Amino acid sequence: MAVSLLSHEVSDLCIGKPPVRSLPITASVGEALSALKRCPENELCIVGSEKKAVVGKVRVADVICYLCSSEDNLFDPVGALNKPLSDLLIFKETGGAGTGRAIVRQIEPRASLFKAIDEILDGAGTLVVPIHSRTSWQKHHSTTAEFCWLTHEDLIRYLLGSISLFSHVTTLSISSLSLIRPITLSISQHEPAISAIPLLQQAISNGTSVAVLSDNGCLLGEISPPQLSSCDESVAAAIAALSAGEFLSYLEYQYHGFLPESFSNAIKSRLKEDGLSGLMNLMEEVSSGSLLSSGSSSDEESVQQKGHLGRTMSRGYGRRSPVEVVACSPESSLVAVIVQAIAHRVGYVWVVDGGEEFGGQDEEKLVGIVTFSDILKVFREQL
């Protein structure tokens, strides 16, 4: 049966997947942001001058990181949005994975499942697959090619359909399989949120997020690319003005749909002190048409009464707050971690230790992370 699984092709994973929306590389960063706001998938395929050449992938989180990446962009965010999209792609390539490898790689539909796994394990964050379902007339007359994405999650979901092949390892704990890797993308709650930008670039490329830690190493929450992608461009102002811990509170307010006036004023005051009038103007322009409204003091208290924002652990099914984290223990089984990650649509699970010395569940210390890449390595070794 394992031999049969390895005979499967990439096209088998693409059945039912819609084509991704594309944008030419000649567009501006601002045009890409506008297109992303209209895109339900919140990601765009960037196509080069040759109609079948995919040169990258862009999400709102990429634009936010780009706006916060340099003093020039922070002082003149509107000018940054007017820059060509190629500048943003260069920024992603030089500051993202840090390996010199392509984050997006094209693979043919007839390629084997094994090759797709190898490409992901070699550092590709996303595989782009040409769709050949169009008619002969469309192939010769269409001005753009069509593609679909394949991610770590797609491969894990597909292999999960043959989970019986791996039953001898999926019931083992993640600690016994040595799947818990040390945390490299983390930031203290007291550090400036903007210092997380280089870490977020890496998180975007490897499908994880940045952990926000308390003074004793406990996990308070996370700053993830999907969270940034759910915000508008004015979030760059909050990143430039707030500490990491304060930024978790900002994300919580965003999730609940209101931003207390006192919080908004604090951001503007700090931006003014730092001379970042461009970000202040951007914040004002976006807020004038934003769905966020100023909250009352009772609204602010209702959020603050939850304690340390982002500390709540989410181990069940259903919708979760942007500052809740998906976490497990070192003794969780591999299959439990897989199901947990897929249920929450994330490519990783934090590993925490809730020993009594850390005060119980509310003081669970972060000990590591398990990613889909690590899990794919286990499946590949078994195959």
Side-chain angles (χ1 to χ4, degrees):
M1 187 173 177
V3 175
S4 175
L5 182 61
L6 288 178
S7 68
H8 292 189
E9 298 179 345
V10 168
S11 59
D12 297 326
L13 284 75
C14 299
I15 296 175
K17 291 183 74 68
V20 295
R21 304 193 183 197
S22 62
L23 195 69
I25 195 172
T26 53
S28 68
V29 175
E31 288 172 334
L33 181 60
S34 297
L36 284 165
K37 291 179 178 180
R38 301 190 300 268
C39 181
E41 298 83 12
N42 202 4
E43 55 188 22
L44 291 170
C45 171
I46 307 304
V47 182
S49 55
E50 297 182 8
K51 69 176 184 178
K52 291 187 178 181
V54 176
V55 295
K57 175 181 181 179
V58 171
R59 292 181 287 187
V60 172
D62 294 312
V63 177
I64 301 303
C65 287
Y66 179 67
L67 290 177
C68 300
S69 64
S70 68
E71 289 188 0
D72 288 342
N73 289 354
L74 288 172
F75 281 103
D76 185 15
V78 174
L81 291 173
N82 287 328
K83 291 180 180 178
L85 194 52
S86 56
D87 283 13
L88 173 56
L89 294 183
I90 293 173
F91 163 73
K92 281 171 59 69
E93 292 173 1
T94 56
T99 61
R101 298 169 181 164
I103 299 175
V104 175
R105 298 185 195 173
Q106 186 165 324
I107 189 171
E108 290 302 313
R110 297 297 302 273
S112 68
L113 171 63
F114 206 58
K115 179 174 176 56
I117 295 175
D118 282 344
E119 290 285 356
I120 290 290
L121 294 181
D122 190 46
T126 303
L127 298 179
V128 59
V129 187
I131 297 177
H132 298 312
S133 60
R134 297 174 295 161
T135 65
S136 177
W137 186 92
Q138 288 175 314
K139 290 179 181 179
H140 287 89
H141 294 81
S142 177
T143 58
T144 58
E146 288 187 335
F147 306 90
C148 72
W149 297 129
L150 285 182
T151 64
H152 296 67
E153 181 182 346
D154 293 315
L155 292 174
I156 293 290
R157 283 180 178 272
Y158 193 77
L159 293 173
L160 196 58
S162 303
I163 197 64
S164 60
L165 291 175
F166 314 100
S167 59
H168 55 292
V169 293
T170 53
T171 56
L172 300 177
S173 69
I174 55 175
S175 59
S176 65
L177 291 169
S178 300
L179 283 177
I180 305 174
R181 66 166 61 187
I183 297 298
T184 57
L185 304 181
S186 66
I187 184 174
S188 165
Q189 62 176 329
H190 304 298
E191 293 182 64
I194 199 166
S195 63
I197 293 300
L199 304 180
L200 278 165
Q201 290 179 253
Q202 296 180 52
I204 291 173
S205 68
N206 61 29
T208 58
S209 66
V210 178
V212 180
L213 305 180
S214 66
D215 294 336
N216 59 357
C218 294
L219 182 60
L220 298 179
E222 64 181 1
I223 304 174
S224 70
Q227 290 171 15
L228 295 187
S229 291
S230 67
C231 301
D232 55 52
E233 59 269 35
S234 66
V235 71
I239 293 175
L242 302 175
S243 69
E246 292 170 332
F247 188 63
L248 287 182
S249 299
Y250 176 89
L251 292 174
E252 181 80 344
Y253 287 128
Q254 285 273 5
Y255 177 70
H256 288 284
F258 64 86
L259 186 64
E261 186 175 355
S262 59
F263 208 106
S264 177
N265 289 339
I267 294 175
K268 294 175 183 177
S269 176
R270 294 182 190 179
L271 292 175
K272 185 176 181 180
E273 290 176 3
D274 294 335
L276 299 176
S277 58
L279 281 177
M280 288 181 61
N281 294 335
L282 180 66
M283 190 176 176
E284 291 288 351
E285 291 174 5
V286 173
S287 64
S288 63
S290 174
L291 295 177
L292 293 175
S293 60
S294 295
S296 65
S297 59
S298 60
D299 290 330
E300 188 171 357
E301 290 172 0
S302 68
V303 176
Q304 291 177 342
Q305 286 173 356
K306 296 181 180 181
H308 293 288
L309 294 175
R311 189 179 230 161
T312 305
M313 299 296 174
S314 176
R315 291 186 175 81
Y317 292 85
R319 190 183 179 195
R320 66 188 181 96
S321 164
V323 290
E324 290 179 347
V325 295
V326 182
C328 68
S329 76
E331 300 310 311
S332 297
S333 68
L334 175 58
V335 68
V337 171
I338 293 173
V339 172
Q340 188 179 12
I342 288 177
H344 291 286
R345 300 303 304 272
V346 293
Y348 58 95
V349 175
W350 300 110
V351 184
V352 295
D353 183 357
E356 293 182 0
E357 63 270 29
F358 302 115
Q361 181 174 340
D362 288 339
E363 294 292 334
E364 291 175 306
K365 186 171 183 179
L366 182 64
V367 296
I369 188 173
V370 176
T371 69
F372 274 167
S373 292
D374 301 318
I375 295 173
L376 277 175
K377 289 179 183 177
V378 172
F379 285 158
R380 185 190 185 284
E381 289 170 0
Q382 298 305 312
L383 290 173

